[in-house]
Amino acid sequence: LQVEESAISLWNWAVTKHTGAVISDEQRAKLRFVACRLICLCEGSDPPEGSIRRQILMSMKTGKGWIDIGKAGLADGFLENAMSSIEKLYAKLRKGSEGEADIEVHRADVEKSLFKVLSYQAESVFAQGDFQKAVMCVQRCKDMLLKLPKETCYLSILCYNFGVETYEWKRYEQSSFWLSQSYDIGKMDMKYSVGKEMQAKVLRLLATTYFEWDCSLYLDKALKAISLANQENLHPAGFFLKVKILLKSGASDEDINSALAEFTHLEMSLDFCLNTAKLLLEHGRESVGFDFLKSVPERFESSPDLGKITLLHIEFLLQNKRELLAKQKIEEVIIGHYTGKQLLPEALNQLHIILWDRAAKHYEEKSYSEALHWYNYSVSFYTPGQIDQNLAKLQRNMASCYLHLKQVDKAKEAVKQAERCDPNSIFTKFSVYKIAVMENDTDKAMEAVIEMGKLAEKPSEYEDKLRVDKNTGSNLLSLAAQIALENDQQIVAIKALEYLSEHLQDCRQLFAALKCLVRLMLSKVMAENAEKRHEDINSILTYLNLAHKKLAESFTEEMFTGDMRILEAHWFRKVAWNLAVQFKDSPEKMRDFFVLSFKLSQFCPSDKAVLIAQKTCLLMAAAVDLEMGRQQATPSEQTELFSQALQHLQTCKEIWKVLKLTGDFAKDPTDTLLLLYEFEARSKLNDPTLHNLMESVWEQPQIEIKTLEIIASLAMESPARYPVLCKKALKSALNLHRKQAVIDAVKFSKCLHSLINIALPTGLTDLDTCVLQEVWDYFEDALSVVSSTDAYPEMEILWLMTRAWNTGIFQYTVGKYKEAEQWCGLGMRFLNHLGSLKKTYE
């Protein structure tokens, strides 16, 4: 009992809250579901009549609730339960009846609930797509209408709704069945019928269903249905549909005129009449259509919308290629405009559209004079001095026609009028630009294209006013560049392309514009003297940098494929490479182009050719930075350049490691160049890691004498000063000289000369004994080589003799007589090897 009371409370609460819009339809359905199930669980073996009636009501409403929220499958069980409860109720009532009259009363009472349940079951199975079951349920309901005539309207509308849904699903056969049922049920009891208007509505949809299903097969049925509909209730929609069916059937003009006559006295709107005329004319019934159209003004004499009739007349005259008659009508409208018979603004706008469309058609056909004729009709509706954006557009269009006709003065006047109406329009500037290019007025063309570029940066200003494509600015700049190139105005074309490259979103178009810019600027640079080149070379660098930037951004562009990106990257990297080679007289530019070529190549697959190009670009860039660093006056500039060179070298080393895996590079000097460049950069930056770098160098077995001599030279080249490293490099070089099968005396002498200079600085007297001993050994080495060959340069022998003698003198001056005697003696030993100079020094 407590569960039953709770279920009833829950049910009532759901009803109250739904009425107050506290819970949704779905929430109410769920609450009803719970309450109903609880009531079912509480049912005993012989429930009282009240409980059964309550269960019938709750089961019906729960089932209907699921149907209404689109979950018909959940309704079936509840509706079956309701049906079962109805049977129980009927049996219970019969059992307590005292005669036939009582039984009839009880049957009538039960049949009302049974009708409802059957109609809900029809809805449920219909929603689940079971046409046959829905038909059976509706037929049972229909059979019950004699006893329940008040339900006639409800069942008729239910069938109509089924017909509407199946029509929308294009199930025309089912739709025609349901609509026919709706109409038939509606006729069963006139007292409780849906009414003539509804019956006509059902028949109109039935006629439409037959018409769309298969007009050739069901034409008679469609005509019969629409005729019946019009008999039930005369309505414009029925009139229109009948005309439509007759036209489709190929009926004669006489039959169509008869149909039109049926509705002569029917109240119809002007738009409805115009749509009917349009329907007739679109089906090629010109005679009937124009006659009907001529009859319309009589019906709407006082209407301010009469202009719509004239517009439709003009439109169909043009569609049927009766331009002369259309022109006469338009001229009548123009006269009326200035004699108090103006069109309403909406109709006038529509007329302008018709005139412009006709003008545009002639323009496309290159009938420019005829296009102007139609544009002039449009101009006729504007008052002198009127400011209007559409008038500006009109004048621009006329200017284009005049230009094609070579009537430049008229074109200029039209553009002047356009500027008056809309001076800040990108389209107006484009018209000014076209005339300037045609007149070869470079300055004015440049001015116009600069204005276009500025306006393209803020497109909202013209996009809001005129419904144009978001790429309009880019399209116009592209066209401007094309026009300039066609007229040999290279400078103007470059300016247009520069603005274009800033605004283009489409990657393919952007790269095409940048390529064109590069080519144009290159031809300009080649024709210029050295003074003017600097700025244009910077422009080319800007274009290539933009190409690099856009290639990096292009990964998010769906229409720009990986293959496209690679092709573009190859083109731009090769251009940058060629420019670097071409501008070798300008180190800074050469460096910038090499760096750019490397950056662009990073978008290419890393095959051997690309890796070699990348390595070369970075080596060249580092070489240029080092060279520029040697020539810079300020330490900060030097530091920046040497640091930059070091960065290039580090990247280059990584690439070189990969490249060496692809083949034999035994004769390639890259390792040596990387070593020398890195040594120079680090030494001049006073890099603390320099000694670590050199440790690996001393261990290399294949290092060349020349490399060591260059390292020695760089170690003492300002701002670097590493005498220990210099000395070590020279000693290593000297050792390698000694190991040669035949010593090259000249090279040996130069190396020894440098080593003695670094070990025994000129002018020093207070020298460490160890240092003197080390230098003594170098002199002994020299004597050894001098004694074994006649190729030792005489001036080098003289220099050795002099250095040894002077070292002895220095020792003497500080009181080291023994050492002085040794060194002077050493010098005398070199005297014997002098040639022609021997007598001079003896």
Side-chain angles (χ1 to χ4, degrees):
L1 185 63
Q2 195 174 354
V3 172
E4 189 176 0
E5 286 174 359
S6 298
I8 293 166
S9 297
L10 179 62
W11 180 277
N12 293 336
W13 184 86
V15 171
T16 307
K17 293 300 178 184
H18 185 264
T19 306
V22 176
I23 59 173
S24 67
D25 289 346
E26 185 169 358
Q27 288 170 329
R28 181 179 66 166
K30 287 176 179 179
L31 290 168
R32 281 179 165 180
F33 168 83
V34 173
C36 192
R37 290 298 295 271
L38 288 170
I39 288 292
C40 291
L41 290 171
C42 295
E43 185 184 345
S45 57
D46 186 21
E49 182 186 333
S51 295
I52 298 172
R53 288 185 184 278
R54 185 173 59 216
Q55 195 165 323
I56 292 168
L57 178 70
M58 290 175 78
S59 294
M60 277 199 301
K61 287 188 175 290
T62 302
K64 179 62 172 165
W66 286 126
I67 293 167
D68 290 343
I69 64 166
K71 295 183 178 181
L74 296 174
D76 292 344
F78 291 96
L79 296 175
E80 285 167 12
N81 188 49
M83 191 67 82
S84 173
S85 296
I86 288 168
E87 289 171 3
K88 283 181 187 176
L89 178 63
Y90 186 56
K92 197 172 191 70
L93 292 171
R94 274 184 69 101
K95 194 175 178 182
S97 298
E98 294 179 358
E100 195 63 36
D102 275 359
I103 292 170
E104 283 302 317
V105 170
H106 294 320
R107 184 183 289 127
D109 181 26
V110 168
E111 279 181 343
K112 287 179 184 177
S113 298
L114 181 61
F115 182 90
K116 280 285 182 191
V117 173
L118 283 168
S119 68
Y120 291 164
Q121 283 184 325
E123 280 190 74
S124 177
V125 292
F126 175 84
Q128 293 175 71
D130 194 332
F131 174 68
Q132 291 301 331
K133 277 190 181 178
V135 170
M136 286 167 60
C137 291
V138 169
Q139 188 58 50
R140 285 186 67 185
C141 288
K142 192 176 175 183
D143 294 340
M144 296 171 73
L145 286 177
L146 289 172
K147 294 180 181 178
L148 300 168
K150 289 181 180 179
E151 301 296 338
T152 303
C153 181
Y154 168 79
L155 190 60
S156 176
I157 289 171
L158 181 68
C159 290
Y160 173 73
N161 291 337
F162 288 172
V164 170
E165 284 196 49
T166 45
Y167 169 78
E168 287 171 353
W169 298 335
K170 301 193 184 306
R171 296 176 187 168
Y172 297 120
E173 187 175 1
Q174 291 181 21
S175 180
S176 64
F177 170 81
W178 290 120
L179 293 168
S180 298
Q181 286 291 308
S182 177
Y183 176 64
D184 291 342
I185 291 165
K187 292 190 298 179
M188 285 178 68
D189 192 311
M190 299 312 293
K191 185 180 177 182
Y192 298 107
S193 171
V194 290
K196 287 182 175 293
E197 287 185 10
M198 186 64 198
Q199 286 288 73
K201 188 177 180 181
V202 171
L203 288 165
R204 283 196 297 273
L205 184 56
L206 179 59
T208 304
T209 301
Y210 284 130
F211 182 74
E212 292 184 15
W213 184 6
D214 189 335
C215 190
S216 57
L217 197 60
Y218 300 107
L219 182 65
D220 290 340
K221 287 187 175 183
L223 274 172
K224 185 181 176 183
I226 197 61
S227 298
L228 278 171
N230 292 337
Q231 286 171 24
E232 289 280 352
N233 182 47
L234 211 55
H235 189 277
F239 159 62
F240 191 80
L241 184 55
K242 185 169 184 179
V243 172
K244 199 173 176 183
I245 294 168
L246 286 169
L247 287 169
K248 186 76 174 178
S249 70
S252 65
D253 285 359
E254 190 178 347
D255 288 342
I256 292 168
N257 273 322
S258 298
L260 293 172
E262 290 176 24
F263 292 84
T264 306
H265 305 295
L266 188 66
E267 280 286 326
M268 290 189 287
S269 69
L270 175 59
D271 286 339
F272 192 87
C273 290
L274 293 177
N275 286 334
T276 304
K278 196 181 289 186
L279 179 70
L280 293 165
L281 293 168
E282 283 172 350
H283 280 80
R285 302 301 179 100
E286 291 178 33
S287 174
V288 181
F290 282 122
D291 284 347
F292 181 75
L293 199 58
K294 286 172 188 173
S295 72
V296 175
E298 297 170 16
R299 304 181 66 170
F300 300 95
E301 283 179 330
S302 60
S303 173
D305 269 347
L306 280 176
K308 287 184 177 181
I309 303 168
T310 308
L311 287 183
L312 186 63
H313 206 149
I314 292 166
E315 276 189 78
F316 276 97
L317 285 171
L318 290 173
Q319 281 179 22
N320 290 284
K321 298 179 181 175
R322 297 184 183 181
E323 267 201 10
L324 200 58
L325 286 172
K327 284 180 178 179
Q328 287 174 7
K329 274 279 177 192
I330 292 161
E331 285 160 13
E332 287 173 17
V333 175
I334 293 169
I335 292 165
H337 186 75
Y338 290 99
T339 55
K341 295 179 181 178
Q342 288 95 344
L343 296 175
L344 289 176
E346 187 182 340
L348 183 57
N349 285 339
Q350 189 60 37
L351 179 57
H352 279 302
I353 291 167
I354 293 167
L355 297 172
W356 286 28
D357 283 348
R358 183 56 44 167
K361 183 175 177 290
H362 285 296
Y363 185 91
E364 286 168 10
E365 293 168 355
K366 300 185 179 178
S367 303
Y368 304 114
S369 296
E370 193 60 29
L372 279 166
H373 197 85
W374 288 91
Y375 281 133
N376 275 316
Y377 278 148
S378 188
V379 171
S380 302
F381 291 98
Y382 290 96
T383 56
Q386 187 175 345
I387 302 292
D388 187 281
Q389 278 195 329
N390 285 323
L391 179 57
K393 185 178 180 182
L394 182 56
Q395 293 289 359
R396 290 194 297 264
N397 291 345
M398 292 176 75
S400 294
C401 293
Y402 286 129
L403 286 175
H404 281 293
L405 295 168
K406 307 297 181 189
Q407 297 176 15
V408 180
D409 289 340
K410 287 186 177 180
K412 285 168 82 172
E413 182 56 35
V415 171
K416 189 177 175 184
Q417 291 299 321
E419 283 189 287
R420 183 180 61 80
C421 292
D422 197 3
N424 296 319
S425 163
I426 193 169
F427 301 101
T428 303
K429 299 300 178 189
F430 181 65
S431 297
V432 172
Y433 170 81
K434 282 195 292 186
I435 294 170
V437 171
M438 188 173 275
E439 291 188 319
N440 210 25
D441 188 341
T442 304
D443 291 341
K444 194 164 187 180
M446 280 290 279
E447 186 183 323
V449 89
I450 289 167
E451 288 294 324
M452 285 172 67
K454 288 176 182 175
L455 288 166
E457 289 173 5
K458 38 188 177 182
S460 57
E461 288 195 8
Y462 57 82
E463 284 181 12
D464 290 344
K465 296 172 186 175
L466 297 167
R467 292 180 182 177
V468 293
D469 187 86
K470 64 178 181 179
N471 297 320
T472 297
S474 300
N475 294 340
L476 287 175
L477 287 167
S478 179
L479 200 52
Q482 185 182 329
I483 291 167
L485 290 171
E486 286 170 359
N487 288 271
D488 296 323
Q489 296 202 17
Q490 196 180 76
I491 296 170
V492 180
I494 287 170
K495 183 57 70 177
L497 286 166
E498 282 179 345
Y499 277 116
L500 181 63
S501 63
E502 290 174 18
H503 302 295
L504 274 173
Q505 298 300 315
D506 185 283
C507 284
R508 285 173 292 186
Q509 291 179 5
L510 171 65
F511 291 122
L514 286 172
K515 284 179 180 178
C516 192
L517 265 174
V518 169
R519 291 188 185 106
L520 285 171
M521 196 59 86
L522 273 174
S523 62
K524 186 168 178 270
V525 166
M526 293 301 104
E528 289 173 335
N529 57 38
E531 291 177 10
K532 291 184 179 179
R533 280 187 179 184
H534 181 75
E535 191 177 332
D536 289 339
I537 293 171
N538 283 339
S539 294
I540 296 172
L541 273 168
T542 303
Y543 307 152
L544 293 175
N545 272 311
L546 181 57
H548 176 261
K549 181 187 172 194
K550 293 298 180 182
L551 280 168
E553 292 172 357
S554 69
F555 286 92
T556 57
E557 183 74 46
E558 287 181 18
M559 301 302 290
F560 195 69
T561 64
D563 288 343
M564 290 177 185
R565 188 181 303 108
I566 290 165
L567 282 172
E568 298 296 355
H570 273 306
W571 192 90
F572 285 107
R573 82 169 177 86
K574 287 174 183 177
V575 166
W577 173 282
N578 292 335
L579 289 169
V581 173
Q582 196 168 334
F583 296 120
K584 58 188 176 186
D585 295 336
S586 174
E588 188 177 352
K589 295 291 179 285
M590 180 169 74
R591 185 269 318 276
D592 291 344
F593 281 120
F594 271 130
V595 170
L596 256 176
S597 183
F598 164 71
K599 286 181 179 177
L600 289 160
S601 71
Q602 290 178 301
F603 297 106
C604 304
S606 297
D607 56 30
K608 189 174 180 179
V610 169
L611 288 171
I612 289 171
Q614 289 180 338
K615 177 208 73 169
T616 309
C617 284
L618 291 167
L619 275 176
M620 291 301 294
V624 173
D625 278 331
L626 291 170
E627 179 59 35
M628 288 168 65
R630 294 180 201 120
Q631 297 167 8
Q632 288 300 327
T634 67
S636 62
E637 288 173 330
Q638 282 187 324
T639 301
E640 186 182 344
L641 286 162
F642 293 142
S643 299
Q644 208 165 264
L646 204 52
Q647 287 175 6
H648 296 325
L649 292 167
Q650 291 303 109
T651 310
C652 187
K653 281 166 81 173
E654 295 303 316
I655 292 166
W656 180 232
K657 281 179 191 174
V658 177
L659 187 57
K660 282 197 285 189
L661 300 173
T662 64
D664 182 14
F665 292 91
K667 295 180 180 178
D668 193 294
T670 300
D671 278 320
T672 302
L673 290 172
L674 283 169
L675 169 63
L676 292 174
Y677 290 168
E678 187 175 357
F679 180 82
E680 180 175 0
R682 291 192 185 282
S683 64
K684 289 179 179 176
L685 285 168
N686 197 23
D687 191 321
T689 64
L690 181 64
H691 290 281
N692 294 336
L693 170 71
M694 294 314 295
E695 284 305 317
S696 62
V697 173
W698 309 135
E699 294 168 8
Q700 289 180 19
Q702 303 297 326
I703 195 161
E704 295 180 357
I705 296 169
K706 184 71 177 172
T707 304
L708 290 165
E709 288 175 343
I710 294 171
I711 287 172
S713 173
L714 291 170
M716 298 302 289
E717 189 177 276
S718 181
R721 182 163 181 80
Y722 290 90
V724 174
L725 288 176
C726 174
K727 195 170 159 185
K728 193 164 186 177
L730 289 171
K731 284 169 75 175
S732 298
L734 204 63
N735 286 333
L736 290 174
H737 274 300
R738 289 197 201 99
K739 290 175 183 177
Q740 301 293 315
V742 177
I743 295 175
D744 185 325
V746 175
K747 290 180 180 178
F748 180 88
S749 69
K750 287 180 181 177
C751 181
L752 189 68
H753 187 127
S754 298
L755 183 56
I756 291 170
N757 258 345
I758 197 75
L760 189 66
T762 308
L764 290 180
T765 54
D766 188 15
L767 289 169
D768 187 89
T769 307
C770 293
V771 172
L772 286 171
Q773 184 57 52
E774 181 187 342
V775 176
W776 181 276
D777 291 341
Y778 300 151
F779 277 92
E780 288 287 358
D781 280 344
L783 270 172
S784 172
V785 175
V786 168
S787 303
S788 63
T789 180
D790 294 331
Y792 208 98
E794 189 177 13
M795 291 307 293
E796 285 297 320
I797 298 171
L798 177 61
W799 182 82
L800 288 165
M801 181 191 78
T802 307
R803 281 308 299 269
W805 180 269
N806 289 342
T807 301
I809 297 301
F810 287 141
Q811 295 299 307
Y812 180 80
T813 58
V814 294
K816 294 183 178 181
Y817 304 118
K818 184 180 178 183
E819 287 84 352
E821 182 184 358
Q822 288 173 341
W823 279 98
C824 288
L826 180 62
M828 294 296 289
R829 288 163 68 188
F830 282 102
L831 181 63
N832 296 324
H833 296 286
L834 287 174
S836 58
L837 295 172
K838 184 178 179 184
K839 288 185 179 180
T840 308
Y841 286 93
E842 269 182 332

